[in-house]
Amino acid sequence: IYANNMMSKLLNAAGPQELIGASRGEILQRFEVSSEDGKPLSPEVALSTHASISKAPTEGLVRFKRSQDTRWVWQRAIPVFHSDGSVSMTVSLFRDVTEQKKIEELLKEQQARAHASSKLSALGEMAGGIAHEINNPLAIIQGQATQLKEMMEHETWEKEWMTEAAFSIEKTSKR
């Protein structure tokens, strides 16, 4: 493996000299390596040797995790061929996309919160509508009952009006 300063930083190495000449296994034993969906990756896949096996350029997102530090890396591997068609080496390009991944996760969380908030808002509107539908008939019943009570207190019995008020209360309570 040949590496520059950025690669050594990405792989938590003291510098490129720590990586140069090291095997993939020596480098990867420091990390839990997995794909974006969390499936563990073999050293060959994680450090792009699958491009030399398949003899075609490959690319993908890989997660390198070491204790509390997780790095997301977009990698592209390009095989370089001898004149006889065999693979002489693989050139791998790595780009640290950890910050982009964090922003994507934050955006997903915010979208989930916004969705939950809109659901609560709709529920609140629905509850308000139901309360309105309940309170309107109750206001009618209360008004009619108050008038009946006042008539009884003042002993002003208007039989026709009392019958109409009782009918109105009964009709309103049944809707």
Side-chain angles (χ1 to χ4, degrees):
I1 291 183
Y2 298 98
N4 61 15
N5 285 331
M6 186 56 79
M7 184 66 172
S8 61
K9 180 181 174 188
L10 189 61
L11 294 175
N12 290 331
Q17 67 281 1
E18 187 180 334
L19 299 174
I20 295 172
S23 72
R24 288 174 178 84
E26 290 169 337
I27 291 171
L28 291 180
Q29 71 184 5
R30 306 175 189 181
F31 301 96
E32 291 176 34
V33 183
S34 62
S35 62
E36 187 172 15
D37 61 6
K39 293 180 182 172
L41 294 177
S42 68
E44 292 78 22
V45 173
L47 286 180
S48 308
T49 58
H50 58 292
S52 62
I53 295 167
S54 68
K55 295 188 177 185
T58 59
E59 60 182 43
L61 190 61
V62 179
R63 180 185 70 138
F64 291 90
K65 184 175 181 184
R66 184 178 186 182
S67 19
Q68 299 299 327
D69 185 41
T70 297
R71 308 302 300 166
W72 287 96
V73 179
W74 182 260
Q75 66 172 4
R76 178 157 173 78
I78 305 155
V80 177
F81 301 97
H82 289 291
S83 58
D84 67 359
S86 63
V87 176
S88 69
M89 68 176 168
T90 302
V91 176
S92 296
L93 306 170
F94 293 86
R95 184 169 40 126
D96 186 349
V97 294
T98 304
E99 290 304 313
Q100 179 182 341
K101 199 71 171 145
K102 286 179 184 176
I103 290 168
E104 287 173 6
E105 290 300 317
L106 182 61
L107 181 60
K108 282 180 188 176
E109 289 173 17
Q110 289 174 344
Q111 287 172 335
R113 280 192 213 118
H115 183 67
S117 179
S118 83
K119 285 173 34 178
L120 284 174
S121 176
L123 184 62
E125 286 180 34
M126 185 175 70
I130 291 170
H132 180 75
E133 290 298 316
I134 292 171
N135 284 333
N136 276 347
L138 289 177
I140 293 169
I141 291 170
Q142 182 181 8
Q144 297 288 328
T146 300
Q147 287 179 339
L148 284 172
K149 184 176 137 189
E150 286 175 2
M151 289 178 86
M152 290 172 65
E153 286 174 356
H154 300 339
E155 296 185 13
T156 53
W157 305 94
E158 294 178 26
K159 184 176 180 181
E160 184 179 310
W161 188 91
M162 289 179 75
T163 304
E164 191 177 303
F167 178 73
S168 175
I169 289 172
E170 183 181 20
K171 178 180 166 192
T172 302
S173 70
K174 289 183 180 178
R175 39 173 178 154

PDB file of all heavy atoms in Angstrom, residues 125-139 175:
ATOM      1  N   GLU A 125     -55.929  19.788  14.958  1.00  0.00           N
ATOM      2  CA  GLU A 125     -57.013  20.394  14.185  1.00  0.00           C
ATOM      3  C   GLU A 125     -58.262  19.511  14.223  1.00  0.00           C
ATOM      4  O   GLU A 125     -59.376  20.002  14.360  1.00  0.00           O
ATOM      5  CB  GLU A 125     -56.576  20.620  12.740  1.00  0.00           C
ATOM      6  CG  GLU A 125     -55.616  21.771  12.568  1.00  0.00           C
ATOM      7  CD  GLU A 125     -55.206  21.966  11.116  1.00  0.00           C
ATOM      8  OE1 GLU A 125     -56.041  21.717  10.218  1.00  0.00           O
ATOM      9  OE2 GLU A 125     -54.062  22.369  10.900  1.00  0.00           O
ATOM     10  N   MET A 126     -58.043  18.203  14.102  1.00  0.00           N
ATOM     11  CA  MET A 126     -59.169  17.278  14.138  1.00  0.00           C
ATOM     12  C   MET A 126     -59.847  17.322  15.519  1.00  0.00           C
ATOM     13  O   MET A 126     -61.077  17.361  15.618  1.00  0.00           O
ATOM     14  CB  MET A 126     -58.696  15.862  13.833  1.00  0.00           C
ATOM     15  CG  MET A 126     -59.832  14.855  13.736  1.00  0.00           C
ATOM     16  SD  MET A 126     -59.292  13.215  13.250  1.00  0.00           S
ATOM     17  CE  MET A 126     -58.396  12.689  14.691  1.00  0.00           C
ATOM     18  N   ALA A 127     -59.033  17.335  16.581  1.00  0.00           N
ATOM     19  CA  ALA A 127     -59.592  17.399  17.940  1.00  0.00           C
ATOM     20  C   ALA A 127     -60.373  18.694  18.138  1.00  0.00           C
ATOM     21  O   ALA A 127     -61.439  18.698  18.764  1.00  0.00           O
ATOM     22  CB  ALA A 127     -58.477  17.274  18.971  1.00  0.00           C
ATOM     23  N   GLY A 128     -59.846  19.800  17.585  1.00  0.00           N
ATOM     24  CA  GLY A 128     -60.557  21.082  17.681  1.00  0.00           C
ATOM     25  C   GLY A 128     -61.897  21.024  16.965  1.00  0.00           C
ATOM     26  O   GLY A 128     -62.898  21.560  17.450  1.00  0.00           O
ATOM     27  N   GLY A 129     -61.905  20.380  15.797  1.00  0.00           N
ATOM     28  CA  GLY A 129     -63.159  20.236  15.051  1.00  0.00           C
ATOM     29  C   GLY A 129     -64.178  19.400  15.802  1.00  0.00           C
ATOM     30  O   GLY A 129     -65.367  19.723  15.844  1.00  0.00           O
ATOM     31  N   ILE A 130     -63.712  18.327  16.423  1.00  0.00           N
ATOM     32  CA  ILE A 130     -64.606  17.464  17.201  1.00  0.00           C
ATOM     33  C   ILE A 130     -65.150  18.235  18.408  1.00  0.00           C
ATOM     34  O   ILE A 130     -66.348  18.177  18.707  1.00  0.00           O
ATOM     35  CB  ILE A 130     -63.872  16.177  17.640  1.00  0.00           C
ATOM     36  CG1 ILE A 130     -63.597  15.292  16.430  1.00  0.00           C
ATOM     37  CG2 ILE A 130     -64.682  15.417  18.696  1.00  0.00           C
ATOM     38  CD1 ILE A 130     -62.675  14.120  16.710  1.00  0.00           C
ATOM     39  N   ALA A 131     -64.263  18.963  19.085  1.00  0.00           N
ATOM     40  CA  ALA A 131     -64.703  19.755  20.243  1.00  0.00           C
ATOM     41  C   ALA A 131     -65.748  20.783  19.830  1.00  0.00           C
ATOM     42  O   ALA A 131     -66.745  20.997  20.538  1.00  0.00           O
ATOM     43  CB  ALA A 131     -63.505  20.448  20.892  1.00  0.00           C
ATOM     44  N   HIS A 132     -65.541  21.403  18.667  1.00  0.00           N
ATOM     45  CA  HIS A 132     -66.510  22.381  18.162  1.00  0.00           C
ATOM     46  C   HIS A 132     -67.861  21.711  17.905  1.00  0.00           C
ATOM     47  O   HIS A 132     -68.911  22.260  18.264  1.00  0.00           O
ATOM     48  CB  HIS A 132     -65.961  23.013  16.879  1.00  0.00           C
ATOM     49  CG  HIS A 132     -66.860  24.027  16.277  1.00  0.00           C
ATOM     50  ND1 HIS A 132     -67.009  25.294  16.806  1.00  0.00           N
ATOM     51  CD2 HIS A 132     -67.676  23.971  15.190  1.00  0.00           C
ATOM     52  CE1 HIS A 132     -67.874  25.977  16.073  1.00  0.00           C
ATOM     53  NE2 HIS A 132     -68.294  25.194  15.085  1.00  0.00           N
ATOM     54  N   GLU A 133     -67.828  20.524  17.300  1.00  0.00           N
ATOM     55  CA  GLU A 133     -69.063  19.800  17.012  1.00  0.00           C
ATOM     56  C   GLU A 133     -69.790  19.384  18.292  1.00  0.00           C
ATOM     57  O   GLU A 133     -71.010  19.285  18.311  1.00  0.00           O
ATOM     58  CB  GLU A 133     -68.778  18.552  16.158  1.00  0.00           C
ATOM     59  CG  GLU A 133     -68.373  18.866  14.734  1.00  0.00           C
ATOM     60  CD  GLU A 133     -69.477  19.599  13.968  1.00  0.00           C
ATOM     61  OE1 GLU A 133     -70.659  19.210  14.078  1.00  0.00           O
ATOM     62  OE2 GLU A 133     -69.145  20.559  13.259  1.00  0.00           O
ATOM     63  N   ILE A 134     -69.048  19.144  19.348  1.00  0.00           N
ATOM     64  CA  ILE A 134     -69.671  18.773  20.631  1.00  0.00           C
ATOM     65  C   ILE A 134     -70.183  20.019  21.350  1.00  0.00           C
ATOM     66  O   ILE A 134     -71.277  20.021  21.910  1.00  0.00           O
ATOM     67  CB  ILE A 134     -68.667  18.001  21.515  1.00  0.00           C
ATOM     68  CG1 ILE A 134     -68.387  16.633  20.890  1.00  0.00           C
ATOM     69  CG2 ILE A 134     -69.164  17.880  22.947  1.00  0.00           C
ATOM     70  CD1 ILE A 134     -67.262  15.868  21.547  1.00  0.00           C
ATOM     71  N   ASN A 135     -69.398  21.094  21.322  1.00  0.00           N
ATOM     72  CA  ASN A 135     -69.753  22.294  22.077  1.00  0.00           C
ATOM     73  C   ASN A 135     -70.949  23.048  21.503  1.00  0.00           C
ATOM     74  O   ASN A 135     -71.716  23.654  22.256  1.00  0.00           O
ATOM     75  CB  ASN A 135     -68.555  23.234  22.192  1.00  0.00           C
ATOM     76  CG  ASN A 135     -67.554  22.732  23.209  1.00  0.00           C
ATOM     77  OD1 ASN A 135     -67.906  22.031  24.138  1.00  0.00           O
ATOM     78  ND2 ASN A 135     -66.306  23.088  23.020  1.00  0.00           N
ATOM     79  N   ASN A 136     -71.118  23.047  20.188  1.00  0.00           N
ATOM     80  CA  ASN A 136     -72.267  23.760  19.617  1.00  0.00           C
ATOM     81  C   ASN A 136     -73.599  23.231  20.148  1.00  0.00           C
ATOM     82  O   ASN A 136     -74.419  24.009  20.624  1.00  0.00           O
ATOM     83  CB  ASN A 136     -72.230  23.700  18.087  1.00  0.00           C
ATOM     84  CG  ASN A 136     -71.345  24.770  17.499  1.00  0.00           C
ATOM     85  OD1 ASN A 136     -70.934  25.700  18.181  1.00  0.00           O
ATOM     86  ND2 ASN A 136     -71.045  24.634  16.226  1.00  0.00           N
ATOM     87  N   PRO A 137     -73.862  21.938  20.084  1.00  0.00           N
ATOM     88  CA  PRO A 137     -75.137  21.437  20.630  1.00  0.00           C
ATOM     89  C   PRO A 137     -75.236  21.667  22.143  1.00  0.00           C
ATOM     90  O   PRO A 137     -76.323  21.946  22.665  1.00  0.00           O
ATOM     91  CB  PRO A 137     -75.118  19.943  20.310  1.00  0.00           C
ATOM     92  CG  PRO A 137     -74.134  19.775  19.210  1.00  0.00           C
ATOM     93  CD  PRO A 137     -73.149  20.880  19.373  1.00  0.00           C
ATOM     94  N   LEU A 138     -74.117  21.549  22.844  1.00  0.00           N
ATOM     95  CA  LEU A 138     -74.152  21.770  24.296  1.00  0.00           C
ATOM     96  C   LEU A 138     -74.534  23.215  24.615  1.00  0.00           C
ATOM     97  O   LEU A 138     -75.252  23.465  25.596  1.00  0.00           O
ATOM     98  CB  LEU A 138     -72.801  21.425  24.927  1.00  0.00           C
ATOM     99  CG  LEU A 138     -72.454  19.942  24.983  1.00  0.00           C
ATOM    100  CD1 LEU A 138     -71.053  19.754  25.558  1.00  0.00           C
ATOM    101  CD2 LEU A 138     -73.476  19.180  25.804  1.00  0.00           C
ATOM    102  N   ALA A 139     -74.084  24.154  23.788  1.00  0.00           N
ATOM    103  CA  ALA A 139     -74.434  25.558  24.010  1.00  0.00           C
ATOM    104  C   ALA A 139     -75.939  25.764  23.827  1.00  0.00           C
ATOM    105  O   ALA A 139     -76.580  26.498  24.593  1.00  0.00           O
ATOM    106  CB  ALA A 139     -73.651  26.449  23.057  1.00  0.00           C
ATOM    107  N   ARG A 175     -78.346  14.579  18.163  1.00  0.00           N
ATOM    108  CA  ARG A 175     -77.550  14.651  16.928  1.00  0.00           C
ATOM    109  C   ARG A 175     -76.118  14.259  17.112  1.00  0.00           C
ATOM    110  O   ARG A 175     -75.551  14.016  18.050  1.00  0.00           O
ATOM    111  CB  ARG A 175     -77.580  15.966  16.214  1.00  0.00           C
ATOM    112  CG  ARG A 175     -77.557  17.240  16.914  1.00  0.00           C
ATOM    113  CD  ARG A 175     -77.415  18.339  15.886  1.00  0.00           C
ATOM    114  NE  ARG A 175     -77.445  19.596  16.608  1.00  0.00           N
ATOM    115  CZ  ARG A 175     -76.888  20.682  16.188  1.00  0.00           C
ATOM    116  NH1 ARG A 175     -76.270  20.700  15.064  1.00  0.00           N
ATOM    117  NH2 ARG A 175     -76.958  21.783  16.861  1.00  0.00           N
TER     118      ARG A 175
END
